[in-house]
Amino acid sequence: MKKPYLRAKSAFSIDEYPDSASFTAGYLTTSNGGWRSLRPRPDASKCVMCGQCYLHCPDGTIYLDDATGSYAVDLDFCKGCGICARICKPRAIAMIPESAV
Amino acid sequence: MKNLDKNEYFFGHKACAGCGGALAVRIALKTLGERAVAVLPAGCMSAVGFNFPQLAFANNAIISTFAGTASMLTGIVSGLRARGETGFTAVGFAGDGGTADIGIQALSGAIDRNDDILYICYDNEAYMNTGVQKSSLTPFGARTTTTPAGDRIRGNIREKKRMFEIVAAHGISYAATASVGYLRDYVEKIRKAAAVRGAKYIHVLAPCPTGWGTGADETVELAAEAVDCGLFPLREFSDGKFRVTIRRTPNAGAIRAHLARQGRFRHLTEEDIEHVISLTAARSNHL
């Protein structure tokens, strides 16, 4: 799966600014994980693999993990909105306060 | 839905948690794939997608002038054709203000020329990017910073502009309304539109937790509810004919509940709510 990803470099010096109006697509330098006050925790044993959480995530942070075969959350970019937990019919996603993690 | 592109083309953006517009853009790009060229005017999705040096789009994307989404789409189609490119989709994502107020003449011109473009209006019912000002797609009664709720005037006194009918009145090749609460229907309409040669328009309802005064997790539910209670009918226009794709009879109780859960409608009196219900019923008869 391809998606925009975090680059190691986070700051730019003035002579590195592009000299035209175009720039590399899919270039990220900061994560959004710190926005979150609640964290989704999917429970694979309750999951029915309908993929509704993956479809409805406005940030596209839920993905099918090929290693485990179940849905996982990219916590670098999840903002903790809770749409996934609400859309989930079998209630397999719990929203846990970040302070409790 | 299973054969939707697995790649993410709109990811790592700075939209508020629970953004309906971001969901609409993400799903549209997953449907259209890597060969989509996105054009975004000033508005939420350009403000959250392009924060130099970040670029949250994985496909080609460009910011246009506020009024020029559709004309830039025309230019991109002609430019890519001149370079011999094929198999691409030029897609525009403009908000309700960028479509129904500021960008309407460029859109009208592009539809008139029947250029091969797909224009998607993500409708969050006000200028949310600049702090919730009324647009012509703000519904009756909604409180915004420019239509505040007081004793004499309770929010927006005007009805929502009938943008879908205006677009259809051009005799456009394909137009549809959609909702992020009905993603399957939305994806089907994008696929249908992408297969048509000529100008296409999709109007997608995209709730905004910040501007609507609702919880971040309620976005999808609200978008589905707006369709179910009859406030936002899902329709299609092609070959000169209107069709309703998901038919719902307006339900006064459901409309009442839908309005009551949104902060922007909390000030409405019984009389105002009756007015919304009668407007909805009248529009439904018209369908």
Side-chain angles (χ1 to χ4, degrees):
Chain A
M1 181 187 66
K2 286 187 294 182
K3 61 183 178 187
Y5 59 94
L6 278 173
R7 317 286 165 129
K9 199 162 174 50
S10 59
F12 264 69
S13 72
I14 192 74
D15 42 82
E16 282 172 285
Y17 274 75
D19 46 8
S20 71
S22 56
F23 195 64
T24 314
Y27 194 106
L28 302 176
T29 55
T30 54
S31 95
N32 300 333
W35 293 25
R36 199 170 51 231
S37 56
L38 294 170
R39 164 185 298 210
R41 186 178 282 168
D43 180 349
S45 66
K46 286 187 193 163
C47 179
V48 295
M49 303 297 284
C50 64
Q52 290 298 306
C53 54
Y54 151 75
L55 269 177
H56 287 91
C57 177
D59 290 83
T61 60
I62 299 181
Y63 62 98
L64 195 56
D65 191 341
D66 292 331
T68 61
S70 51
Y71 283 99
V73 185
D74 184 339
L75 289 172
D76 272 346
F77 290 98
C78 168
K79 293 167 185 159
C81 67
I83 287 178
C84 53
R86 198 133 175 170
I87 202 91
C88 183
K89 285 222 174 92
R91 302 199 170 278
I93 302 178
M95 297 302 289
I96 315 286
E98 278 294 315
S99 55
V101 177
Chain B
M1 296 299 262
K2 292 280 177 204
N3 49 20
L4 211 58
D5 197 329
K6 295 277 180 280
N7 298 325
E8 298 293 345
Y9 297 103
F10 189 45
F11 181 84
H13 52 75
K14 302 296 182 190
C16 309
C19 175
L23 177 57
V25 171
R26 171 181 168 245
I27 293 296
L29 289 178
K30 280 173 89 73
T31 309
L32 296 170
E34 202 170 24
R35 298 280 289 160
V37 182
V39 174
L40 298 101
C44 287
M45 290 309 118
S46 57
V48 304
F50 306 77
N51 304 88
F52 185 81
Q54 298 213 117
L55 216 172
F57 289 90
N59 60 315
N60 281 312
I62 186 168
I63 302 184
S64 73
T65 56
F66 211 155
T69 317
S71 37
M72 188 175 263
L73 284 168
T74 300
I76 282 173
V77 171
S78 323
L80 288 176
R81 259 195 213 142
R83 285 178 47 160
E85 299 279 350
T86 51
F88 62 88
T89 318
V91 57
F93 296 103
D96 47 293
T99 301
D101 300 344
I102 298 172
I104 195 167
Q105 62 86 14
L107 173 60
S108 180
I111 300 172
D112 180 45
R113 294 186 300 270
N114 202 23
D115 291 325
D116 192 15
I117 64 165
L118 170 55
Y119 191 105
I120 298 182
C121 166
Y122 63 93
D123 182 7
N124 48 26
E125 306 196 320
Y127 288 89
M128 298 309 186
N129 180 42
T130 45
V132 198
Q133 288 85 19
K134 177 204 175 290
S135 80
S136 56
L137 289 177
T138 303
F140 172 80
R143 183 186 62 209
T144 68
T145 50
T146 46
T147 57
D151 293 338
R152 295 182 181 211
I153 298 176
R154 294 175 298 277
N156 181 24
I157 57 170
R158 296 282 302 153
E159 254 185 85
K160 191 178 172 79
K161 190 189 268 185
R162 300 183 184 184
M163 194 60 205
F164 175 67
E165 276 99 328
I166 294 172
V167 166
H170 288 75
I172 191 169
S173 310
Y174 180 83
T177 62
S179 158
V180 295
Y182 283 93
L183 285 186
R184 183 185 293 271
D185 173 78
Y186 178 44
V187 168
E188 271 168 23
K189 283 168 177 168
I190 297 170
R191 286 199 176 130
K192 222 182 259 185
V196 173
R197 204 179 149 91
K200 289 88 64 176
Y201 175 84
I202 294 178
H203 191 112
V204 54
L205 182 69
C208 167
T210 311
W212 290 23
T214 52
D217 58 345
E218 293 178 283
T219 303
V220 171
E221 217 172 83
L222 279 163
E225 211 177 77
V227 174
D228 293 338
C229 73
L231 275 175
F232 195 87
L234 296 187
R235 307 167 66 192
E236 249 180 353
F237 176 86
S238 62
D239 303 322
K241 286 192 201 72
F242 287 102
R243 263 187 314 279
V244 180
T245 51
I246 294 183
R247 189 171 284 281
R248 295 284 186 269
T249 324
N251 177 317
I255 291 174
R256 218 173 269 278
H258 180 67
L259 298 181
R261 65 190 288 194
Q262 300 176 46
R264 60 176 179 159
F265 292 123
R266 205 148 286 157
H267 57 275
L268 292 189
T269 62
E270 186 54 33
E271 193 189 336
D272 296 329
I273 295 171
E274 287 299 335
H275 184 60
V276 173
I277 292 169
S278 67
L279 283 177
T280 314
R283 287 202 62 186
S284 172
N285 292 336
H286 169 72
L287 304 180

